[in-house]
Amino acid sequence: MFSLLLVVIACAVSQTLAQSQPFGQCGGQGWTGPTTCTSGWTCVPQNDFYSQCLQQTVTTTSAPTSSPPATSTTSKTTSSTVSTSSSSATVTGFPASAPTTPPSKLVGQTPALGWNSWNAYQCSINEAKVLAAANQFISLGLKAAGYQYINIDDCWSLMARNSTNKQIVPDPTKFPNGISGVASQVHALGLKFGIYSDAGTATCAGFPGSLGFESIDAATFNSWGVDYLKYDNCNVPGNWSDNSLPQNNDWYNSNSAIRYRQMTAALAAQARPVQFNLCLWGNYNVWDWGTRVGHSWRLSGDSSASWSYITSIISTAVMHAQTGFFGHGDMDMMEIGNGALTIQEQRTHFAAWIMLKSPILLGTDLSLLNATQLAIIKNAELLAFHQDATVGGPAVPFTPFASAPTTNPPEYYVGKSSKGTHVFIINTSATAATKSFVFSNAGLGSSGTFSVHDMWTGTDLSGTYAASATFSVTVQPHDTVAYFIKAL
């Protein structure tokens, strides 16, 4: 009987351990962990790559102070497949009264470089972990490499606003010195501090959202010393969602865009400039209007530490690449240090975010990064391309030679910087492969002589090449090579 009891207990423990904890990941492409949640929690798909354990019923402390005309009682739209373009037609009704304030030009010229707490800690966040990351920026040389932002994600507050002034209240157990105390210590290290909120009635984890409280929250964040705001898209009331095309087919005038425009205006009214990230998961054609509202905008759902996510988001980013400063498609947080990505896949992960000018927010426990991983994320030449203050556009695909095969995502990219021309080549196959390109096909002209510099190693390759010459290299599975092509 005793042995049988032990077996029953062991099975029960095993089943509990095999379940995801509250707010934990429970599914998505490439996910190999638990697919069920602990009692009282449900596995809810957020996108193709991420499902999360959530409680389905969310309560809020106060209704939003403003709302558009009621259009639906259903939940928020989760995707938008209708191609639209801006219209010069007259805007009427509720959209006509919405703020049109642009984002600050005092921040966000180049993509953000920093760290975000979610991938490492999810809701298990506290002051000690945030300050540890900030100090590791110094000790690991990340600040010296150009990384600036230390950003807290969801779960930092109490579940209810202050009943008197309606401000969001930091959780005193997690943050005994308040958010302002953490921000002050981050600033003392010469770094910048970011926080998280939501353009709905509650955050994705059920904490107070900012819809209807934009002015209060923007002023509160300003008083705390916030430099960056990630603004999510959960728990949107039906009358604030978009279940039909917006007026004039212009998504800038959609209910969803207006929710974000309200926060843009509230932030602009504060003294402290804030870099504003629109976390709409690639919905509502955000790439068409994002630069008018924020400094960066998510191109998809949440990232995962999987090769399938990396290739998928590259394809999406290529379709919606931006062409200048102050507006950057966000491929979501870095997964370097997480999961089972090979070193080659981690190199591609970083190189793709670099060449497509996505914000780079590290998303792991920084103390666990090894020397090879640190060398990837601190590569000076790649970061210089990403942060170039003269040339703002990303690298773009090119045809490397006549009759080159087509792949998805593309494998060959060329980009310009203040130094000149750069070529990036991804091997999307699972085996080593020879990759080749003709110099003239990379926009280098039909004449001239060139040398090739390896941006990963910082060394020049031997030999010189004519414009009509072909350069070939063996690229390891899922790896990316990066070159600076110098005209001689």
mmCIF file with all atom_site columns, all heavy atoms in Angstrom, residues 113 147 334 336 345-355 360 362 376-379 382-383 456:
data_model
loop_
_atom_site.group_PDB
_atom_site.id
_atom_site.type_symbol
_atom_site.label_atom_id
_atom_site.label_alt_id
_atom_site.label_comp_id
_atom_site.label_asym_id
_atom_site.label_entity_id
_atom_site.label_seq_id
_atom_site.pdbx_PDB_ins_code
_atom_site.Cartn_x
_atom_site.Cartn_y
_atom_site.Cartn_z
_atom_site.occupancy
_atom_site.B_iso_or_equiv
_atom_site.pdbx_formal_charge
_atom_site.auth_seq_id
_atom_site.auth_comp_id
_atom_site.auth_asym_id
_atom_site.auth_atom_id
_atom_site.pdbx_PDB_model_num
ATOM 1   N N   . LEU A 1 113 ? 18.571 49.790 -28.420 1.00 0.00 ? 113 LEU A N   1
ATOM 2   C CA  . LEU A 1 113 ? 19.436 48.706 -27.962 1.00 0.00 ? 113 LEU A CA  1
ATOM 3   C C   . LEU A 1 113 ? 19.255 48.580 -26.456 1.00 0.00 ? 113 LEU A C   1
ATOM 4   O O   . LEU A 1 113 ? 19.430 49.562 -25.721 1.00 0.00 ? 113 LEU A O   1
ATOM 5   C CB  . LEU A 1 113 ? 20.903 48.995 -28.271 1.00 0.00 ? 113 LEU A CB  1
ATOM 6   C CG  . LEU A 1 113 ? 21.356 48.945 -29.726 1.00 0.00 ? 113 LEU A CG  1
ATOM 7   C CD1 . LEU A 1 113 ? 22.801 49.439 -29.847 1.00 0.00 ? 113 LEU A CD1 1
ATOM 8   C CD2 . LEU A 1 113 ? 21.246 47.529 -30.275 1.00 0.00 ? 113 LEU A CD2 1
ATOM 9   N N   . TYR A 1 147 ? 24.492 49.435 -25.793 1.00 0.00 ? 147 TYR A N   1
ATOM 10  C CA  . TYR A 1 147 ? 23.189 49.095 -25.224 1.00 0.00 ? 147 TYR A CA  1
ATOM 11  C C   . TYR A 1 147 ? 22.829 50.102 -24.128 1.00 0.00 ? 147 TYR A C   1
ATOM 12  O O   . TYR A 1 147 ? 23.667 50.449 -23.292 1.00 0.00 ? 147 TYR A O   1
ATOM 13  C CB  . TYR A 1 147 ? 23.206 47.675 -24.662 1.00 0.00 ? 147 TYR A CB  1
ATOM 14  C CG  . TYR A 1 147 ? 23.296 46.613 -25.728 1.00 0.00 ? 147 TYR A CG  1
ATOM 15  C CD1 . TYR A 1 147 ? 24.527 46.227 -26.263 1.00 0.00 ? 147 TYR A CD1 1
ATOM 16  C CD2 . TYR A 1 147 ? 22.151 46.002 -26.216 1.00 0.00 ? 147 TYR A CD2 1
ATOM 17  C CE1 . TYR A 1 147 ? 24.616 45.254 -27.261 1.00 0.00 ? 147 TYR A CE1 1
ATOM 18  C CE2 . TYR A 1 147 ? 22.223 45.026 -27.206 1.00 0.00 ? 147 TYR A CE2 1
ATOM 19  C CZ  . TYR A 1 147 ? 23.463 44.667 -27.731 1.00 0.00 ? 147 TYR A CZ  1
ATOM 20  O OH  . TYR A 1 147 ? 23.538 43.706 -28.726 1.00 0.00 ? 147 TYR A OH  1
ATOM 21  N N   . MET A 1 334 ? 15.193 39.564 -28.420 1.00 0.00 ? 334 MET A N   1
ATOM 22  C CA  . MET A 1 334 ? 16.218 38.579 -28.698 1.00 0.00 ? 334 MET A CA  1
ATOM 23  C C   . MET A 1 334 ? 15.989 37.312 -27.882 1.00 0.00 ? 334 MET A C   1
ATOM 24  O O   . MET A 1 334 ? 15.591 37.362 -26.722 1.00 0.00 ? 334 MET A O   1
ATOM 25  C CB  . MET A 1 334 ? 17.588 39.133 -28.322 1.00 0.00 ? 334 MET A CB  1
ATOM 26  C CG  . MET A 1 334 ? 18.152 40.199 -29.245 1.00 0.00 ? 334 MET A CG  1
ATOM 27  S SD  . MET A 1 334 ? 19.235 39.476 -30.521 1.00 0.00 ? 334 MET A SD  1
ATOM 28  C CE  . MET A 1 334 ? 18.156 39.634 -31.931 1.00 0.00 ? 334 MET A CE  1
ATOM 29  N N   . ILE A 1 336 ? 18.641 35.025 -27.909 1.00 0.00 ? 336 ILE A N   1
ATOM 30  C CA  . ILE A 1 336 ? 19.996 34.511 -27.696 1.00 0.00 ? 336 ILE A CA  1
ATOM 31  C C   . ILE A 1 336 ? 20.181 34.195 -26.209 1.00 0.00 ? 336 ILE A C   1
ATOM 32  O O   . ILE A 1 336 ? 19.921 35.025 -25.345 1.00 0.00 ? 336 ILE A O   1
ATOM 33  C CB  . ILE A 1 336 ? 21.043 35.529 -28.186 1.00 0.00 ? 336 ILE A CB  1
ATOM 34  C CG1 . ILE A 1 336 ? 21.013 35.601 -29.717 1.00 0.00 ? 336 ILE A CG1 1
ATOM 35  C CG2 . ILE A 1 336 ? 22.440 35.173 -27.688 1.00 0.00 ? 336 ILE A CG2 1
ATOM 36  C CD1 . ILE A 1 336 ? 21.922 36.645 -30.313 1.00 0.00 ? 336 ILE A CD1 1
ATOM 37  N N   . GLU A 1 345 ? 22.534 29.581 -35.545 1.00 0.00 ? 345 GLU A N   1
ATOM 38  C CA  . GLU A 1 345 ? 21.198 30.176 -35.555 1.00 0.00 ? 345 GLU A CA  1
ATOM 39  C C   . GLU A 1 345 ? 21.157 31.460 -34.737 1.00 0.00 ? 345 GLU A C   1
ATOM 40  O O   . GLU A 1 345 ? 20.459 32.426 -35.091 1.00 0.00 ? 345 GLU A O   1
ATOM 41  C CB  . GLU A 1 345 ? 20.181 29.158 -35.036 1.00 0.00 ? 345 GLU A CB  1
ATOM 42  C CG  . GLU A 1 345 ? 19.937 28.021 -36.016 1.00 0.00 ? 345 GLU A CG  1
ATOM 43  C CD  . GLU A 1 345 ? 19.176 26.854 -35.416 1.00 0.00 ? 345 GLU A CD  1
ATOM 44  O OE1 . GLU A 1 345 ? 19.051 26.776 -34.169 1.00 0.00 ? 345 GLU A OE1 1
ATOM 45  O OE2 . GLU A 1 345 ? 18.696 25.999 -36.193 1.00 0.00 ? 345 GLU A OE2 1
ATOM 46  N N   . GLN A 1 346 ? 21.928 31.505 -33.655 1.00 0.00 ? 346 GLN A N   1
ATOM 47  C CA  . GLN A 1 346 ? 21.995 32.728 -32.862 1.00 0.00 ? 346 GLN A CA  1
ATOM 48  C C   . GLN A 1 346 ? 22.717 33.845 -33.623 1.00 0.00 ? 346 GLN A C   1
ATOM 49  O O   . GLN A 1 346 ? 22.349 35.020 -33.514 1.00 0.00 ? 346 GLN A O   1
ATOM 50  C CB  . GLN A 1 346 ? 22.677 32.436 -31.522 1.00 0.00 ? 346 GLN A CB  1
ATOM 51  C CG  . GLN A 1 346 ? 21.831 31.544 -30.623 1.00 0.00 ? 346 GLN A CG  1
ATOM 52  C CD  . GLN A 1 346 ? 22.530 31.173 -29.333 1.00 0.00 ? 346 GLN A CD  1
ATOM 53  O OE1 . GLN A 1 346 ? 22.701 32.000 -28.453 1.00 0.00 ? 346 GLN A OE1 1
ATOM 54  N NE2 . GLN A 1 346 ? 22.940 29.905 -29.217 1.00 0.00 ? 346 GLN A NE2 1
ATOM 55  N N   . ARG A 1 347 ? 23.716 33.490 -34.403 1.00 0.00 ? 347 ARG A N   1
ATOM 56  C CA  . ARG A 1 347 ? 24.382 34.487 -35.252 1.00 0.00 ? 347 ARG A CA  1
ATOM 57  C C   . ARG A 1 347 ? 23.407 35.052 -36.285 1.00 0.00 ? 347 ARG A C   1
ATOM 58  O O   . ARG A 1 347 ? 23.364 36.272 -36.520 1.00 0.00 ? 347 ARG A O   1
ATOM 59  C CB  . ARG A 1 347 ? 25.585 33.849 -35.962 1.00 0.00 ? 347 ARG A CB  1
ATOM 60  C CG  . ARG A 1 347 ? 26.826 33.737 -35.094 1.00 0.00 ? 347 ARG A CG  1
ATOM 61  C CD  . ARG A 1 347 ? 27.828 32.732 -35.654 1.00 0.00 ? 347 ARG A CD  1
ATOM 62  N NE  . ARG A 1 347 ? 28.141 32.896 -37.056 1.00 0.00 ? 347 ARG A NE  1
ATOM 63  C CZ  . ARG A 1 347 ? 29.253 33.474 -37.535 1.00 0.00 ? 347 ARG A CZ  1
ATOM 64  N NH1 . ARG A 1 347 ? 30.156 33.970 -36.689 1.00 0.00 ? 347 ARG A NH1 1
ATOM 65  N NH2 . ARG A 1 347 ? 29.481 33.545 -38.826 1.00 0.00 ? 347 ARG A NH2 1
ATOM 66  N N   . THR A 1 348 ? 22.617 34.183 -36.896 1.00 0.00 ? 348 THR A N   1
ATOM 67  C CA  . THR A 1 348 ? 21.621 34.647 -37.861 1.00 0.00 ? 348 THR A CA  1
ATOM 68  C C   . THR A 1 348 ? 20.560 35.496 -37.176 1.00 0.00 ? 348 THR A C   1
ATOM 69  O O   . THR A 1 348 ? 20.121 36.522 -37.716 1.00 0.00 ? 348 THR A O   1
ATOM 70  C CB  . THR A 1 348 ? 20.979 33.450 -38.577 1.00 0.00 ? 348 THR A CB  1
ATOM 71  O OG1 . THR A 1 348 ? 21.973 32.789 -39.367 1.00 0.00 ? 348 THR A OG1 1
ATOM 72  C CG2 . THR A 1 348 ? 19.830 33.884 -39.472 1.00 0.00 ? 348 THR A CG2 1
ATOM 73  N N   . HIS A 1 349 ? 20.123 35.060 -36.001 1.00 0.00 ? 349 HIS A N   1
ATOM 74  C CA  . HIS A 1 349 ? 19.152 35.817 -35.208 1.00 0.00 ? 349 HIS A CA  1
ATOM 75  C C   . HIS A 1 349 ? 19.638 37.263 -35.045 1.00 0.00 ? 349 HIS A C   1
ATOM 76  O O   . HIS A 1 349 ? 18.924 38.227 -35.352 1.00 0.00 ? 349 HIS A O   1
ATOM 77  C CB  . HIS A 1 349 ? 19.025 35.120 -33.855 1.00 0.00 ? 349 HIS A CB  1
ATOM 78  C CG  . HIS A 1 349 ? 17.977 35.660 -32.944 1.00 0.00 ? 349 HIS A CG  1
ATOM 79  N ND1 . HIS A 1 349 ? 17.149 36.723 -33.252 1.00 0.00 ? 349 HIS A ND1 1
ATOM 80  C CD2 . HIS A 1 349 ? 17.615 35.270 -31.683 1.00 0.00 ? 349 HIS A CD2 1
ATOM 81  C CE1 . HIS A 1 349 ? 16.334 36.964 -32.236 1.00 0.00 ? 349 HIS A CE1 1
ATOM 82  N NE2 . HIS A 1 349 ? 16.606 36.095 -31.273 1.00 0.00 ? 349 HIS A NE2 1
ATOM 83  N N   . PHE A 1 350 ? 20.862 37.415 -34.585 1.00 0.00 ? 350 PHE A N   1
ATOM 84  C CA  . PHE A 1 350 ? 21.405 38.754 -34.343 1.00 0.00 ? 350 PHE A CA  1
ATOM 85  C C   . PHE A 1 350 ? 21.626 39.516 -35.644 1.00 0.00 ? 350 PHE A C   1
ATOM 86  O O   . PHE A 1 350 ? 21.241 40.686 -35.764 1.00 0.00 ? 350 PHE A O   1
ATOM 87  C CB  . PHE A 1 350 ? 22.718 38.639 -33.568 1.00 0.00 ? 350 PHE A CB  1
ATOM 88  C CG  . PHE A 1 350 ? 23.272 39.966 -33.122 1.00 0.00 ? 350 PHE A CG  1
ATOM 89  C CD1 . PHE A 1 350 ? 22.649 40.683 -32.110 1.00 0.00 ? 350 PHE A CD1 1
ATOM 90  C CD2 . PHE A 1 350 ? 24.406 40.487 -33.708 1.00 0.00 ? 350 PHE A CD2 1
ATOM 91  C CE1 . PHE A 1 350 ? 23.153 41.903 -31.687 1.00 0.00 ? 350 PHE A CE1 1
ATOM 92  C CE2 . PHE A 1 350 ? 24.931 41.708 -33.303 1.00 0.00 ? 350 PHE A CE2 1
ATOM 93  C CZ  . PHE A 1 350 ? 24.300 42.422 -32.272 1.00 0.00 ? 350 PHE A CZ  1
ATOM 94  N N   . ALA A 1 351 ? 22.224 38.863 -36.630 1.00 0.00 ? 351 ALA A N   1
ATOM 95  C CA  . ALA A 1 351 ? 22.525 39.535 -37.899 1.00 0.00 ? 351 ALA A CA  1
ATOM 96  C C   . ALA A 1 351 ? 21.265 40.020 -38.593 1.00 0.00 ? 351 ALA A C   1
ATOM 97  O O   . ALA A 1 351 ? 21.247 41.101 -39.198 1.00 0.00 ? 351 ALA A O   1
ATOM 98  C CB  . ALA A 1 351 ? 23.312 38.600 -38.815 1.00 0.00 ? 351 ALA A CB  1
ATOM 99  N N   . ALA A 1 352 ? 20.190 39.231 -38.522 1.00 0.00 ? 352 ALA A N   1
ATOM 100 C CA  . ALA A 1 352 ? 18.944 39.631 -39.176 1.00 0.00 ? 352 ALA A CA  1
ATOM 101 C C   . ALA A 1 352 ? 18.351 40.862 -38.514 1.00 0.00 ? 352 ALA A C   1
ATOM 102 O O   . ALA A 1 352 ? 17.884 41.790 -39.193 1.00 0.00 ? 352 ALA A O   1
ATOM 103 C CB  . ALA A 1 352 ? 17.944 38.478 -39.148 1.00 0.00 ? 352 ALA A CB  1
ATOM 104 N N   . TRP A 1 353 ? 18.332 40.897 -37.181 1.00 0.00 ? 353 TRP A N   1
ATOM 105 C CA  . TRP A 1 353 ? 17.830 42.080 -36.472 1.00 0.00 ? 353 TRP A CA  1
ATOM 106 C C   . TRP A 1 353 ? 18.695 43.302 -36.798 1.00 0.00 ? 353 TRP A C   1
ATOM 107 O O   . TRP A 1 353 ? 18.195 44.413 -36.910 1.00 0.00 ? 353 TRP A O   1
ATOM 108 C CB  . TRP A 1 353 ? 17.819 41.818 -34.966 1.00 0.00 ? 353 TRP A CB  1
ATOM 109 C CG  . TRP A 1 353 ? 16.571 41.219 -34.398 1.00 0.00 ? 353 TRP A CG  1
ATOM 110 C CD1 . TRP A 1 353 ? 15.795 41.750 -33.409 1.00 0.00 ? 353 TRP A CD1 1
ATOM 111 C CD2 . TRP A 1 353 ? 15.950 39.961 -34.730 1.00 0.00 ? 353 TRP A CD2 1
ATOM 112 N NE1 . TRP A 1 353 ? 14.732 40.911 -33.116 1.00 0.00 ? 353 TRP A NE1 1
ATOM 113 C CE2 . TRP A 1 353 ? 14.806 39.811 -33.913 1.00 0.00 ? 353 TRP A CE2 1
ATOM 114 C CE3 . TRP A 1 353 ? 16.248 38.949 -35.656 1.00 0.00 ? 353 TRP A CE3 1
ATOM 115 C CZ2 . TRP A 1 353 ? 13.960 38.701 -33.978 1.00 0.00 ? 353 TRP A CZ2 1
ATOM 116 C CZ3 . TRP A 1 353 ? 15.414 37.843 -35.721 1.00 0.00 ? 353 TRP A CZ3 1
ATOM 117 C CH2 . TRP A 1 353 ? 14.296 37.725 -34.906 1.00 0.00 ? 353 TRP A CH2 1
ATOM 118 N N   . ILE A 1 354 ? 19.997 43.058 -36.948 1.00 0.00 ? 354 ILE A N   1
ATOM 119 C CA  . ILE A 1 354 ? 20.920 44.137 -37.301 1.00 0.00 ? 354 ILE A CA  1
ATOM 120 C C   . ILE A 1 354 ? 20.624 44.672 -38.695 1.00 0.00 ? 354 ILE A C   1
ATOM 121 O O   . ILE A 1 354 ? 20.406 45.876 -38.903 1.00 0.00 ? 354 ILE A O   1
ATOM 122 C CB  . ILE A 1 354 ? 22.383 43.644 -37.230 1.00 0.00 ? 354 ILE A CB  1
ATOM 123 C CG1 . ILE A 1 354 ? 22.833 43.465 -35.784 1.00 0.00 ? 354 ILE A CG1 1
ATOM 124 C CG2 . ILE A 1 354 ? 23.317 44.578 -38.002 1.00 0.00 ? 354 ILE A CG2 1
ATOM 125 C CD1 . ILE A 1 354 ? 23.132 44.735 -35.030 1.00 0.00 ? 354 ILE A CD1 1
ATOM 126 N N   . MET A 1 355 ? 20.628 43.799 -39.693 1.00 0.00 ? 355 MET A N   1
ATOM 127 C CA  . MET A 1 355 ? 20.560 44.264 -41.084 1.00 0.00 ? 355 MET A CA  1
ATOM 128 C C   . MET A 1 355 ? 19.190 44.822 -41.437 1.00 0.00 ? 355 MET A C   1
ATOM 129 O O   . MET A 1 355 ? 19.073 45.682 -42.317 1.00 0.00 ? 355 MET A O   1
ATOM 130 C CB  . MET A 1 355 ? 20.956 43.146 -42.046 1.00 0.00 ? 355 MET A CB  1
ATOM 131 C CG  . MET A 1 355 ? 19.978 42.010 -42.153 1.00 0.00 ? 355 MET A CG  1
ATOM 132 S SD  . MET A 1 355 ? 20.661 40.674 -43.160 1.00 0.00 ? 355 MET A SD  1
ATOM 133 C CE  . MET A 1 355 ? 19.262 39.570 -43.261 1.00 0.00 ? 355 MET A CE  1
ATOM 134 N N   . ILE A 1 360 ? 16.786 45.984 -30.829 1.00 0.00 ? 360 ILE A N   1
ATOM 135 C CA  . ILE A 1 360 ? 17.406 44.795 -30.246 1.00 0.00 ? 360 ILE A CA  1
ATOM 136 C C   . ILE A 1 360 ? 17.301 44.907 -28.738 1.00 0.00 ? 360 ILE A C   1
ATOM 137 O O   . ILE A 1 360 ? 17.993 45.711 -28.106 1.00 0.00 ? 360 ILE A O   1
ATOM 138 C CB  . ILE A 1 360 ? 18.870 44.642 -30.686 1.00 0.00 ? 360 ILE A CB  1
ATOM 139 C CG1 . ILE A 1 360 ? 18.934 44.358 -32.194 1.00 0.00 ? 360 ILE A CG1 1
ATOM 140 C CG2 . ILE A 1 360 ? 19.567 43.533 -29.900 1.00 0.00 ? 360 ILE A CG2 1
ATOM 141 C CD1 . ILE A 1 360 ? 20.335 44.241 -32.747 1.00 0.00 ? 360 ILE A CD1 1
ATOM 142 N N   . LEU A 1 362 ? 17.671 42.505 -25.608 1.00 0.00 ? 362 LEU A N   1
ATOM 143 C CA  . LEU A 1 362 ? 18.098 41.204 -25.137 1.00 0.00 ? 362 LEU A CA  1
ATOM 144 C C   . LEU A 1 362 ? 17.042 40.652 -24.198 1.00 0.00 ? 362 LEU A C   1
ATOM 145 O O   . LEU A 1 362 ? 16.448 41.395 -23.410 1.00 0.00 ? 362 LEU A O   1
ATOM 146 C CB  . LEU A 1 362 ? 19.446 41.321 -24.435 1.00 0.00 ? 362 LEU A CB  1
ATOM 147 C CG  . LEU A 1 362 ? 20.559 42.003 -25.255 1.00 0.00 ? 362 LEU A CG  1
ATOM 148 C CD1 . LEU A 1 362 ? 21.806 42.186 -24.403 1.00 0.00 ? 362 LEU A CD1 1
ATOM 149 C CD2 . LEU A 1 362 ? 20.876 41.204 -26.513 1.00 0.00 ? 362 LEU A CD2 1
ATOM 150 N N   . ILE A 1 376 ? 28.828 37.689 -29.991 1.00 0.00 ? 376 ILE A N   1
ATOM 151 C CA  . ILE A 1 376 ? 27.826 37.931 -31.032 1.00 0.00 ? 376 ILE A CA  1
ATOM 152 C C   . ILE A 1 376 ? 27.118 39.247 -30.789 1.00 0.00 ? 376 ILE A C   1
ATOM 153 O O   . ILE A 1 376 ? 27.035 40.106 -31.667 1.00 0.00 ? 376 ILE A O   1
ATOM 154 C CB  . ILE A 1 376 ? 26.812 36.772 -31.075 1.00 0.00 ? 376 ILE A CB  1
ATOM 155 C CG1 . ILE A 1 376 ? 27.466 35.494 -31.598 1.00 0.00 ? 376 ILE A CG1 1
ATOM 156 C CG2 . ILE A 1 376 ? 25.605 37.143 -31.961 1.00 0.00 ? 376 ILE A CG2 1
ATOM 157 C CD1 . ILE A 1 376 ? 26.577 34.259 -31.491 1.00 0.00 ? 376 ILE A CD1 1
ATOM 158 N N   . ILE A 1 377 ? 26.588 39.449 -29.584 1.00 0.00 ? 377 ILE A N   1
ATOM 159 C CA  . ILE A 1 377 ? 25.742 40.623 -29.341 1.00 0.00 ? 377 ILE A CA  1
ATOM 160 C C   . ILE A 1 377 ? 26.543 41.901 -29.129 1.00 0.00 ? 377 ILE A C   1
ATOM 161 O O   . ILE A 1 377 ? 25.963 43.002 -29.139 1.00 0.00 ? 377 ILE A O   1
ATOM 162 C CB  . ILE A 1 377 ? 24.796 40.389 -28.145 1.00 0.00 ? 377 ILE A CB  1
ATOM 163 C CG1 . ILE A 1 377 ? 25.575 40.175 -26.850 1.00 0.00 ? 377 ILE A CG1 1
ATOM 164 C CG2 . ILE A 1 377 ? 23.875 39.216 -28.427 1.00 0.00 ? 377 ILE A CG2 1
ATOM 165 C CD1 . ILE A 1 377 ? 24.698 40.018 -25.613 1.00 0.00 ? 377 ILE A CD1 1
ATOM 166 N N   . LYS A 1 378 ? 27.875 41.777 -28.979 1.00 0.00 ? 378 LYS A N   1
ATOM 167 C CA  . LYS A 1 378 ? 28.713 42.979 -28.835 1.00 0.00 ? 378 LYS A CA  1
ATOM 168 C C   . LYS A 1 378 ? 29.525 43.282 -30.081 1.00 0.00 ? 378 LYS A C   1
ATOM 169 O O   . LYS A 1 378 ? 30.374 44.186 -30.054 1.00 0.00 ? 378 LYS A O   1
ATOM 170 C CB  . LYS A 1 378 ? 29.665 42.812 -27.643 1.00 0.00 ? 378 LYS A CB  1
ATOM 171 C CG  . LYS A 1 378 ? 28.966 42.769 -26.292 1.00 0.00 ? 378 LYS A CG  1
ATOM 172 C CD  . LYS A 1 378 ? 29.940 43.003 -25.131 1.00 0.00 ? 378 LYS A CD  1
ATOM 173 C CE  . LYS A 1 378 ? 31.012 41.959 -25.043 1.00 0.00 ? 378 LYS A CE  1
ATOM 174 N NZ  . LYS A 1 378 ? 31.928 42.199 -23.897 1.00 0.00 ? 378 LYS A NZ  1
ATOM 175 N N   . ASN A 1 379 ? 29.267 42.571 -31.176 1.00 0.00 ? 379 ASN A N   1
ATOM 176 C CA  . ASN A 1 379 ? 30.068 42.771 -32.382 1.00 0.00 ? 379 ASN A CA  1
ATOM 177 C C   . ASN A 1 379 ? 29.999 44.236 -32.826 1.00 0.00 ? 379 ASN A C   1
ATOM 178 O O   . ASN A 1 379 ? 28.944 44.742 -33.219 1.00 0.00 ? 379 ASN A O   1
ATOM 179 C CB  . ASN A 1 379 ? 29.560 41.861 -33.502 1.00 0.00 ? 379 ASN A CB  1
ATOM 180 C CG  . ASN A 1 379 ? 30.401 41.971 -34.752 1.00 0.00 ? 379 ASN A CG  1
ATOM 181 O OD1 . ASN A 1 379 ? 30.298 42.927 -35.498 1.00 0.00 ? 379 ASN A OD1 1
ATOM 182 N ND2 . ASN A 1 379 ? 31.260 40.986 -34.970 1.00 0.00 ? 379 ASN A ND2 1
ATOM 183 N N   . LEU A 1 382 ? 28.865 45.071 -36.679 1.00 0.00 ? 382 LEU A N   1
ATOM 184 C CA  . LEU A 1 382 ? 27.444 44.885 -36.936 1.00 0.00 ? 382 LEU A CA  1
ATOM 185 C C   . LEU A 1 382 ? 26.622 45.964 -36.230 1.00 0.00 ? 382 LEU A C   1
ATOM 186 O O   . LEU A 1 382 ? 25.681 46.524 -36.804 1.00 0.00 ? 382 LEU A O   1
ATOM 187 C CB  . LEU A 1 382 ? 27.015 43.494 -36.490 1.00 0.00 ? 382 LEU A CB  1
ATOM 188 C CG  . LEU A 1 382 ? 27.548 42.334 -37.341 1.00 0.00 ? 382 LEU A CG  1
ATOM 189 C CD1 . LEU A 1 382 ? 27.271 41.006 -36.659 1.00 0.00 ? 382 LEU A CD1 1
ATOM 190 C CD2 . LEU A 1 382 ? 26.944 42.343 -38.724 1.00 0.00 ? 382 LEU A CD2 1
ATOM 191 N N   . LEU A 1 383 ? 26.966 46.266 -34.996 1.00 0.00 ? 383 LEU A N   1
ATOM 192 C CA  . LEU A 1 383 ? 26.242 47.300 -34.263 1.00 0.00 ? 383 LEU A CA  1
ATOM 193 C C   . LEU A 1 383 ? 26.417 48.667 -34.915 1.00 0.00 ? 383 LEU A C   1
ATOM 194 O O   . LEU A 1 383 ? 25.490 49.489 -34.912 1.00 0.00 ? 383 LEU A O   1
ATOM 195 C CB  . LEU A 1 383 ? 26.706 47.342 -32.806 1.00 0.00 ? 383 LEU A CB  1
ATOM 196 C CG  . LEU A 1 383 ? 26.234 46.164 -31.938 1.00 0.00 ? 383 LEU A CG  1
ATOM 197 C CD1 . LEU A 1 383 ? 26.974 46.140 -30.614 1.00 0.00 ? 383 LEU A CD1 1
ATOM 198 C CD2 . LEU A 1 383 ? 24.727 46.243 -31.701 1.00 0.00 ? 383 LEU A CD2 1
ATOM 199 N N   . TRP A 1 456 ? 32.231 39.747 -38.983 1.00 0.00 ? 456 TRP A N   1
ATOM 200 C CA  . TRP A 1 456 ? 32.203 38.932 -37.772 1.00 0.00 ? 456 TRP A CA  1
ATOM 201 C C   . TRP A 1 456 ? 33.576 38.877 -37.111 1.00 0.00 ? 456 TRP A C   1
ATOM 202 O O   . TRP A 1 456 ? 33.689 38.988 -35.885 1.00 0.00 ? 456 TRP A O   1
ATOM 203 C CB  . TRP A 1 456 ? 31.737 37.519 -38.084 1.00 0.00 ? 456 TRP A CB  1
ATOM 204 C CG  . TRP A 1 456 ? 30.260 37.340 -38.247 1.00 0.00 ? 456 TRP A CG  1
ATOM 205 C CD1 . TRP A 1 456 ? 29.603 36.944 -39.369 1.00 0.00 ? 456 TRP A CD1 1
ATOM 206 C CD2 . TRP A 1 456 ? 29.240 37.520 -37.251 1.00 0.00 ? 456 TRP A CD2 1
ATOM 207 N NE1 . TRP A 1 456 ? 28.235 36.871 -39.149 1.00 0.00 ? 456 TRP A NE1 1
ATOM 208 C CE2 . TRP A 1 456 ? 27.986 37.226 -37.854 1.00 0.00 ? 456 TRP A CE2 1
ATOM 209 C CE3 . TRP A 1 456 ? 29.252 37.910 -35.911 1.00 0.00 ? 456 TRP A CE3 1
ATOM 210 C CZ2 . TRP A 1 456 ? 26.780 37.296 -37.159 1.00 0.00 ? 456 TRP A CZ2 1
ATOM 211 C CZ3 . TRP A 1 456 ? 28.049 37.989 -35.212 1.00 0.00 ? 456 TRP A CZ3 1
ATOM 212 C CH2 . TRP A 1 456 ? 26.829 37.685 -35.839 1.00 0.00 ? 456 TRP A CH2 1
#
